[in-house]
Amino acid sequence: MSERKRIVIVGGVAGGASAAARARRLDENAEIIMFERGEYISFANCGLPYHIGGAIPKRDSLLVQTPERMAWRFGIDVRVNTEVIKIDRQRKEVISRDKKSGSEQATPYDYLILSPGAEPIKPAIPGIDHPRVFTLRNIPDMDAIKKVVDNEQPQHAVVVGGGYIGLEMAEALHERKIRVTLVELADQVFNVIDREMATPLHRQLRLHGVDLRLGVSLTNITGEGNGLKLDLSDNQSINTALVIMAIGVRPETKLAENAGLNLGPRGGIAVNEHMQTNDPAIYAVGDAVEVKSFIAGLDSLIPLAGPANRQGRIAADNIFGRNSVYKNTQGTAICKVFDLSVGMVGLSEKLLKKQKIAYEKVYTHPQSHAGYYPGAAAIRLKLLFDPTDGKILGAQAVGSDGVDKRIDVLAVAQRAGMTVYELQDLELSYAPPYGSAKDPVNYAGFVASNALNGDVQLAHVDQLPPGKNQILLDVRTLPEVQTGTIEGAMVIPLDELRGRLDELPKGKELIVFCKVGLRGYIACRLLSQRGYRCRNLSGGYTTYQDFFDLAAAEPEAPASICGAPVCTHPAADSTQIKPDQTIDARGLQCPGPIVQLKNAVDSLQVGQAVSIIASDPGFPPDVAAWCQSTGNQLADIKPEQGAVRALIIKSEAKALSTNMQPLSKNKTIVVFSGDFDKVMAAFIIASGAAAMGSHVTLFFTFWGLNALRKDNPPPVSKNLIEKMFGFMMPRGARKLTLSKMNMGGMGLTMIKGIMNKKNVTPLEELIENARKSGVRLVACSMSMDLMGIKKDEMIDGVEEGGVALYLQNAEQGNVNLFI
């Protein structure tokens, strides 16, 4: 039998408790003693906010292991309410103090495992020790906060700090119907990610009514009656019932430092890959230790439960002769913020910049699963990689569904040393409720690989505005442009790009963008093969909005609803407004929700309302911007079942106001007349404009439709009235008459003879030539229905369309004729 080892463990929870359990599994004969200065040795500290908020109703659910069960199951001597106050390394013993009796005792050890954890940071602010100021680190902290919330039902609370605990507590208090102000010194919440990736979190907080104060700090706390008065660095003050301090934690190292154990550059206990300190008999694990990052080997403090559990296991392994190694920390993490999840792995862009590590990045915005299956939601995904070999440096994702899955896959890929090229080949599970044939991870690999292979040159929003030899080109549709565009951008929708290349100067580089980057990529592939210099704006206008947090910067923000800007003041009581139409746009990615909204509003009368629910996280700022652009009223916007519902009241039409440059080569002609001479004039003007490089749309309505009818149409089914109309109206361009001096057809014969002598192209040939030169022939579908004209009776190449299609083309040009 091997010599019996005595192992003393200081601290429980994740690191200490896992070390104790592992040690017992490895050696039934070992004497294991655990000291815990509190009452609880192993509890789910990550679940504390959720019990306060009510998501976890039973307090006992948080107790992973009790002292009694630990002693009974593992035969461990658990000493709670006992604090270790000194380590005597020469005598190899610890001095502990019973917190109830005050008595002290020396306990010898063969091996010592330190798991003291980390303590909340409490800055030296006047009034910080007021009993209404709380921190949240353990069960007693949770009980104290919950007691105030349960018994006093406060109306308002302030959370100081926007990290994990701060965000989770803001949500928990909101769930308890408490108004929350969140104060954060940085210009973003969840500071471990990059700022543009935090913008959706800011919107989500505001959407749920959280009063978000960024870039300010707490400077003074004063008790006032049963509440508090808080002074902020921006000279504002807040009256509140309680304060939750959540500005971060620092490793508890006093015990180790007093014992002469080395600390690392970041202030944590220094350990080697075996979790061993500079004293071979002493190990340290959990939030108190300093580790190396998986990428670049940077000194890091990672206060996360997962690493702490693994470290406790590794320390026990090495004590019993197993060569177990901690393979550095990736920092894989996730946090819930109301209906959104935010996750990350590896290094952020700001940390890569700080360490001067070369990198490239791409932004993608794929759906969480197949868009045609209900419940799909967009994921904002940022992938950072080595520009030479494609190694994965880091990733961040934000979305309402599927974030955890994608971050976990990327964490495994990073741990395995994979490159972005290999992400393309990952065979991931697919069925419509769970994913897409091209999973978001595959998709990120495609986009990154395209950039590394030179298939597309990337531009990034932090490189804007463009230089003097660059031009911004927006290739989105008009409804999308109405939600906003980048100042100074030309607008040519992707589907029109091939026919309008002559509008683009070849001497300048084009910075192309769409909503999320896909159409921009397609446009760049087209343009680069036509001789243009082109770069695609990674992540498109969505990333541009996130980077500049445009929703927060709108001038109307003070008159907004939940932080989403509106074009006019909201309705006094939106709950009394009954919508005339209701749209369910969940699962649709932009521009789907906005297009459906536009079509619905087009069909309403002024003063009528439409209610729309959408799951696209970009929908709140988009619908607000669209209302501002079009003049419609955003009466209400609020979260609902993981999505967002907006109520829009139709107002008088407002002229399109965007920052785009005028598109002078767009021409629109409404052909209302069915007279030969007027139709001739329309096609002559259209053909001339097309020859000069304009994009021309002819919109035929009422009598003008007759010019597009076939001479000998195929048989079609018609009722009696439709047959009568068809008999009375001219059938095609050959049958049209003059508007004046027709004289029973004699005038028309004379003018056609003159045209022949003067070599003027006949109308039928003009129509065909115009169609071949790219002139768009659109027949008004409403007029066709009224007059009984069927699609099969029309000549080839004619589109059916409505007023919205006509207006879209008219608004993009500066010439509009009515004939």
Side-chain angles (χ1 to χ4, degrees):
M1 180 179 294
S2 61
E3 181 182 353
R4 189 184 191 196
K5 293 183 174 68
R6 172 178 278 201
I7 302 169
V8 171
I9 301 172
V10 179
V13 197
S18 64
R22 177 63 172 172
R24 175 56 73 220
R25 290 194 296 271
L26 293 177
D27 190 340
E28 182 63 24
N29 189 48
E31 182 181 3
I32 305 172
I33 302 170
M34 177 186 290
F35 290 96
E36 171 56 52
R37 65 185 169 193
E39 185 178 348
Y40 307 94
I41 60 166
S42 183
F43 59 91
N45 54 359
C46 297
L48 302 179
Y50 299 105
H51 179 57
I52 295 172
I56 301 174
K58 293 184 179 181
R59 179 179 181 275
D60 288 351
S61 300
L62 300 174
L63 304 179
V64 178
Q65 192 65 266
T66 65
E68 295 77 18
R69 288 203 304 263
M70 196 80 171
W72 177 75
R73 173 168 291 182
F74 294 103
I76 294 172
D77 181 1
V78 180
R79 304 178 187 180
V80 295
N81 295 311
T82 306
E83 183 177 12
V84 173
I85 58 175
K86 182 180 179 181
I87 302 171
D88 189 331
R89 291 169 55 192
Q90 283 67 38
R91 300 173 63 91
K92 293 187 73 172
E93 63 183 22
V94 298
I95 309 301
S96 61
R97 177 186 295 137
D98 187 297
K99 295 181 69 176
K100 293 182 178 179
S101 67
S103 61
E104 296 184 1
Q105 180 181 351
T107 303
Y109 64 83
D110 295 316
Y111 294 95
L112 176 63
I113 300 177
L114 300 178
S115 181
E119 60 182 346
I121 296 173
K122 294 183 70 174
I125 296 172
I128 193 71
D129 293 322
H130 192 283
R132 288 277 179 165
V133 179
F134 300 92
T135 58
L136 181 61
R137 188 64 181 168
N138 52 40
I139 295 286
D141 291 342
M142 177 192 74
D143 291 340
I145 296 170
K146 194 169 187 298
K147 182 179 179 180
V148 172
V149 171
D150 289 347
N151 296 344
E152 301 182 20
Q153 299 181 351
Q155 298 298 304
H156 184 271
V158 172
V159 176
V160 181
Y164 293 94
I165 297 297
L167 292 172
E168 290 164 357
M169 277 306 302
E171 180 176 354
L173 294 169
H174 176 273
E175 292 300 313
R176 297 298 303 272
K177 311 303 180 185
I178 300 171
R179 292 182 295 109
V180 179
T181 296
L182 178 58
V183 176
E184 169 57 57
L185 177 59
D187 62 352
Q188 67 168 92
V189 299
F190 208 62
N191 205 34
V192 291
I193 63 173
D194 295 315
R195 189 185 184 282
E196 73 276 16
M197 298 300 291
T199 297
L201 307 182
H202 300 163
R203 294 175 185 150
Q204 186 73 190
L205 289 163
R206 292 173 179 135
L207 191 65
H208 283 79
V210 174
D211 176 16
L212 183 60
R213 309 282 187 98
L214 297 175
V216 297
S217 62
L218 180 60
T219 60
N220 187 69
I221 302 172
T222 307
E224 289 195 350
N226 292 327
L228 300 169
K229 179 187 176 185
L230 310 183
D231 296 323
L232 306 180
S233 59
D234 60 356
N235 297 320
Q236 299 290 315
S237 62
I238 303 172
N239 292 310
T240 190
L242 71 155
V243 173
I244 309 295
M245 296 298 300
I247 62 176
V249 295
R250 62 166 61 93
E252 289 204 44
T253 60
K254 184 177 180 180
L255 184 66
E257 193 173 5
N258 289 343
L261 299 178
N262 293 340
L263 302 184
R266 299 289 304 279
I269 302 173
V271 294
N272 61 18
E273 61 184 2
H274 304 295
M275 308 311 300
Q276 195 173 41
T277 68
N278 56 297
D279 186 324
I282 302 178
Y283 294 76
V285 300
D287 296 353
V289 305
E290 194 162 302
V291 295
K292 300 289 185 182
S293 68
F294 185 77
I295 299 297
L298 304 177
D299 296 302
S300 304
L301 295 171
I302 308 290
L304 297 173
N309 273 289
R310 291 194 300 278
Q311 292 162 6
R313 179 186 177 95
I314 289 168
D317 279 354
N318 284 285
I319 286 172
F320 289 99
R322 298 196 175 198
N323 185 27
S324 190
V325 171
Y326 186 68
K327 299 178 180 177
N328 297 341
T329 294
Q330 293 172 267
T332 310
I334 193 164
C335 183
K336 179 179 181 293
V337 184
F338 292 100
D339 298 324
L340 290 182
S341 298
V342 53
M344 67 167 297
V345 63
L347 302 185
S348 63
E349 181 179 4
K350 54 190 170 188
L351 192 51
L352 289 168
K353 283 182 177 179
K354 182 178 179 180
Q355 298 298 323
K356 298 181 180 179
I357 298 172
Y359 69 93
E360 181 56 281
K361 61 181 177 181
V362 294
Y363 298 88
T364 62
H365 303 273
Q367 297 276 58
S368 59
H369 61 248
Y372 55 82
Y373 187 87
I379 297 176
R380 283 165 159 80
L381 180 60
K382 179 178 184 178
L383 183 63
L384 298 147
F385 52 95
D386 190 300
T388 56
D389 59 14
K391 283 286 181 69
I392 300 167
L393 301 177
Q396 299 163 36
V398 182
S400 59
D401 180 48
V403 168
D404 54 343
K405 173 181 177 180
R406 275 68 194 208
I407 288 296
D408 286 346
V409 170
L410 289 166
V412 172
Q414 185 185 69
R415 175 70 65 174
M418 297 174 67
T419 68
V420 296
Y421 299 110
E422 292 167 295
L423 295 181
Q424 302 174 97
D425 303 321
L426 291 180
E427 189 172 329
L428 304 173
S429 58
Y430 162 60
Y434 304 105
S436 301
K438 292 180 182 177
D439 188 86
V441 174
N442 299 132
Y443 192 74
F446 292 137
V447 175
S449 298
N450 286 340
L452 290 180
N453 290 333
D455 293 333
V456 65
Q457 299 295 317
L458 295 179
H460 297 295
V461 293
D462 51 359
Q463 299 167 344
L464 298 178
K468 62 180 182 179
N469 291 318
Q470 295 175 318
I471 292 179
L472 282 165
L473 176 61
D474 188 342
V475 295
R476 297 174 298 154
T477 63
L478 182 61
E480 292 174 276
V481 175
Q482 286 179 310
T483 68
T485 189
I486 303 175
E487 183 177 359
M490 290 184 63
V491 180
I492 302 179
L494 175 62
D495 293 338
E496 301 175 17
L497 190 56
R498 282 188 177 86
R500 300 174 60 186
L501 294 176
D502 59 335
E503 298 179 32
L504 301 172
K506 286 192 174 181
K508 294 189 176 183
E509 183 179 54
L510 302 172
I511 307 297
V512 179
F513 67 96
C514 61
K515 180 65 177 177
V516 297
L518 176 58
R519 284 171 291 172
Y521 168 68
I522 295 171
C524 266
R525 291 298 301 159
L526 185 162
L527 291 166
S528 62
Q529 294 178 73
R530 297 295 184 94
Y532 293 89
R533 291 187 298 120
C534 181
R535 295 165 66 198
N536 184 28
L537 187 66
S538 185
Y541 188 67
T542 297
T543 298
Y544 177 83
Q545 287 178 297
D546 290 345
F547 191 88
F548 293 104
D549 204 352
L550 294 186
E554 293 288 348
E556 285 84 2
S560 68
I561 302 171
C562 301
V566 296
C567 55
T568 57
H569 289 282
D573 187 0
S574 61
T575 61
Q576 301 302 312
I577 301 173
K578 184 178 179 181
D580 298 275
Q581 286 195 40
T582 300
I583 302 170
D584 190 341
R586 286 174 291 191
L588 294 181
Q589 196 167 2
C590 187
I594 292 296
V595 170
Q596 288 204 7
L597 174 61
K598 176 185 181 297
N599 292 339
V601 170
D602 285 346
S603 68
L604 298 178
Q605 300 296 318
V606 172
Q608 291 184 315
V610 58
S611 175
I612 179 171
I613 186 169
S615 54
D616 180 3
F619 178 69
D622 278 355
V623 69
W626 184 83
C627 285
Q628 192 171 34
S629 173
T630 59
N632 295 295
Q633 182 182 9
L634 180 57
D636 192 20
I637 183 168
K638 59 188 177 184
E640 182 178 311
Q641 298 177 344
V644 173
R645 183 175 292 280
L647 182 67
I648 296 93
I649 301 173
K650 182 169 183 175
S651 303
E652 293 289 348
K654 175 183 176 183
L656 175 64
S657 176
T658 69
N659 293 320
M660 63 183 178
Q661 293 178 348
L663 304 178
S664 59
K665 291 198 172 185
N666 269 15
K667 309 292 187 292
T668 308
I669 303 174
V670 179
V671 185
F672 177 86
S673 173
D675 295 329
F676 174 85
D677 45 337
K678 295 178 180 178
V679 174
M680 275 286 298
F683 276 97
I684 289 171
I685 294 170
S687 298
M692 296 175 66
S694 290
H695 180 76
V696 183
T697 299
L698 290 178
F699 187 79
F700 294 82
T701 184
F702 284 95
W703 313 115
L705 291 170
N706 293 312
L708 303 180
R709 297 177 71 190
K710 293 178 180 177
D711 286 340
N712 297 298
V716 291
S717 176
K718 293 188 176 186
N719 59 35
L720 178 61
I721 298 299
E722 289 173 338
K723 288 179 181 179
M724 291 177 63
F725 257 104
F727 177 78
M728 292 185 292
M729 292 188 302
R731 187 176 291 169
R734 296 179 189 273
K735 305 293 185 179
L736 300 182
T737 60
L738 288 174
S739 61
K740 297 182 184 295
M741 299 175 60
N742 188 55
M743 298 179 293
M746 290 178 58
L748 179 63
T749 302
M750 291 171 61
I751 198 67
K752 285 186 175 181
I754 296 171
M755 287 170 59
N756 185 50
K757 289 181 180 179
K758 300 290 185 179
N759 292 319
V760 177
T761 305
L763 177 57
E764 305 84 61
E765 192 173 337
L766 271 177
I767 294 173
E768 182 61 17
N769 290 344
R771 189 177 67 83
K772 289 180 178 179
S773 64
V775 173
R776 194 176 183 185
L777 308 180
V778 180
C780 175
S781 54
M782 181 272 293
S783 298
M784 289 176 63
D785 184 52
L786 287 176
M787 302 177 73
I789 299 175
K790 307 299 182 183
K791 173 68 174 175
D792 290 342
E793 295 181 87
M794 310 296 281
I795 62 176
D796 295 336
V798 175
E799 304 173 45
E800 287 186 68
V803 174
L805 187 150
Y806 154 68
L807 291 174
Q808 178 179 352
N809 286 273
E811 288 173 336
Q812 289 185 348
N814 69 338
V815 173
N816 183 41
L817 303 177
F818 187 93
I819 296 177

